[in-house]
């Protein structure tokens, strides 16, 4: 697991434990929505300002997230973080929560790049192959990249699977260079 501050680990672990293994993915999505809402530079500056009291920061975060229908545990986490002046740690708390959830649920997140769109059947094959190799359930984000020419390139956790045509051509070029 990536290195996280002790503060972020404590908040993430506390949230994880309050969920009792239930609705972790929904909580993660909600945390990301909150994070996206407060990504604005001006808002970040305001929430980290020593001019605002902790109570005012709590009110501000409540107003900012009022339009989001958040789980009570998420609201509680944000309230505590605001009261302790720890909203600046939110990004790291979200990452740490994701890592804890993934570890407990044996999930491996990753990305798959392909030159063209991949259909559902191919996605299932890719996921089966990665799961067979890593012994973890892959949760993959699929994207297209014309630079690959053909084939796919997948990264899941610390594993990289590169079957792209551009990489194959590069390897062939290196072999021909070595032969000369």
């Amino acid at each position: 697991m990536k290195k996280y501050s002790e503060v972020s680990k404590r908040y993430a672990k506390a949230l994880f434990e309050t969920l009792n293994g239930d609705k972790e993915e929904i909580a993660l999505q909600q945390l990301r929505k909150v994070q996206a809402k407060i990504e604005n530079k001006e808002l970040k500056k305001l929430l980290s300002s020593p001019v605002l009291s902790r109570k005012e920061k709590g009110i501000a975060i409540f107003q900012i997230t009022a339009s989001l229908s958040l789980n009570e545990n998420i609201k509680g986490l944000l309230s505590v973080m605001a009261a302790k002046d720890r909203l600046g740690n939110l990004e790291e708390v979200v990452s740490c929560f994701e890592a804890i959830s993934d570890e407990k649920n044996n999930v491996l997140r990753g990305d798959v790049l392909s030159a063209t769109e991949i259909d559902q059947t191919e996605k299932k094959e890719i996921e089966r192959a990665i799961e067979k190799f890593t012994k973890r359930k892959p949760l993959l984000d699929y994207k297209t990249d014309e630079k690959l020419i053909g084939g796919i390139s997948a990264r899941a956790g610390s594993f990289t699977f590169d079957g792209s045509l551009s990489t194959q051509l590069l390897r062939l070029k290196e072999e021909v260079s070595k032969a000369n």
Side-chain angles (χ1 to χ4, degrees):
M1 188 188 306
K2 181 182 164 188
K3 290 279 187 187
Y4 298 103
S5 71
E6 284 302 313
V7 169
S8 296
K9 282 186 211 175
R10 273 187 259 142
Y11 283 115
K13 189 175 180 187
L15 176 62
F16 186 83
E17 288 172 357
T18 61
L19 294 171
N20 295 322
D22 191 31
K23 300 179 182 140
E24 294 157 16
E25 196 60 35
I26 293 169
L28 186 56
Q29 290 170 2
Q30 290 180 3
L31 283 170
R32 287 188 180 135
K33 284 180 184 176
V34 171
Q35 188 179 354
K37 277 255 189 194
I38 63 173
E39 274 301 304
N40 179 310
K41 280 185 181 181
E42 297 299 317
L43 198 50
K44 262 186 168 176
K45 192 175 177 180
L46 177 74
L47 290 172
S48 64
S49 170
V51 175
L52 281 182
S53 72
R54 293 175 180 183
K55 184 177 180 179
E56 291 169 322
K57 289 177 186 180
I59 292 168
I61 198 75
F62 176 76
Q63 290 174 341
I64 293 164
T65 60
S67 64
L68 306 173
S69 51
L70 299 177
N71 175 304
E72 290 303 315
N73 297 323
I74 305 280
K75 288 178 185 177
L77 173 75
L78 295 172
S79 294
V80 170
M81 288 181 74
K84 301 284 185 184
D85 207 15
R86 299 285 190 187
L87 289 171
N89 293 69
L90 183 62
E91 185 176 338
E92 190 175 28
V93 170
V94 173
S95 293
C96 188
F97 178 82
E98 178 182 76
I100 291 169
S101 176
D102 289 353
E103 190 173 312
K104 299 280 187 198
N105 295 309
N106 203 31
V107 169
L108 188 64
R109 292 181 191 268
D111 300 303
V112 175
L113 292 175
S114 62
T116 59
E117 285 290 322
I118 299 174
D119 67 32
Q120 289 297 4
T121 307
E122 291 171 318
K123 287 179 182 179
K124 287 191 187 319
E125 283 182 42
I126 292 165
E127 289 168 9
R128 261 194 305 272
I130 290 173
E131 185 170 11
K132 184 178 178 181
F133 184 80
T134 64
K135 310 287 190 257
R136 295 176 78 183
K137 182 183 178 345
L139 208 71
L140 304 172
D141 186 24
Y142 293 88
K143 299 174 185 164
T144 58
D145 183 1
E146 293 84 26
K147 293 177 191 171
L148 292 180
I149 305 170
I152 66 162
S153 175
R155 183 201 52 78
S158 61
F159 300 100
T160 301
F161 309 92
D162 196 342
S164 66
L165 190 54
S166 57
T167 300
Q168 299 299 328
L169 289 172
L170 183 62
R171 286 183 188 147
L172 184 61
K173 181 180 174 182
E174 287 172 1
E175 286 181 32
V176 169
S177 295
K178 285 180 186 176
N180 291 335

